[in-house]
Amino acid sequence: EVKLVESGGGLVQPGGSLTLSCVASGFTFRDFSMSWVRQAPGKGLEWVSTLSRVDQNAYYGDFVKGRFTATRDNALNTIYLQLNNLQPDDTAMYYCVKHPYDRDYRPRGQGTLVTVSS
């Protein structure tokens, strides 16, 4: 059974930083690309980043603008998302997603909430 557990969210002031983690189990982690998506209050799911298993590169949505960094540690079955210069528009539930995923970005974890507010 695929299991994805996110952590690291919290309340942060504008301009602040957080590091999110997602621990995976139930599959051979290194063989799959992984992604981060988010859902702001009252909005749909939005793709944030993909960590490719093929070329080991990270890809980002245009809104990231160099503020976020996604990495993976195959030895720990974990992906990370470093969030810098957070803004109120970044307030959302952040989910990690295993590839391949369906139209609802499943399978994904339960999410971790990031709130950016002064």
Side-chain angles (χ1 to χ4, degrees):
E1 177 190 3
V2 172
K3 187 175 182 182
L4 304 167
V5 181
E6 302 93 336
S7 62
L11 174 63
V12 63
Q13 293 185 341
S17 298
L18 284 173
T19 300
L20 310 183
S21 301
C22 170
V23 179
S25 60
F27 60 101
T28 306
F29 179 76
R30 65 179 180 274
D31 289 345
F32 292 88
S33 298
M34 299 289 294
S35 287
W36 288 97
V37 299
R38 69 183 186 180
Q39 187 168 28
K43 297 188 177 180
L45 289 163
E46 178 180 36
W47 174 68
V48 176
S49 176
T50 292
L51 288 156
S52 171
R53 73 164 186 89
V54 176
D55 58 15
Q56 303 300 307
N57 286 333
Y59 300 89
Y60 302 94
D62 290 342
F63 68 90
V64 170
K65 297 180 181 178
R67 300 181 298 131
F68 301 170
T69 302
T71 57
R72 66 188 295 163
D73 186 331
N74 288 339
L76 296 178
N77 285 7
T78 300
I79 61 171
Y80 304 94
L81 187 66
Q82 173 72 39
L83 309 171
N84 295 322
N85 191 22
L86 284 162
Q87 301 301 315
D89 285 350
D90 295 315
T91 294
M93 188 73 80
Y94 285 73
Y95 301 92
C96 68
V97 180
K98 173 189 170 294
H99 289 220
Y101 50 80
D102 66 15
R103 60 191 296 175
D104 293 321
Y105 288 104
R106 294 187 188 278
R108 53 182 157 100
Q110 84 291 345
T112 187
L113 180 63
V114 172
T115 303
V116 185
S117 176
S118 56

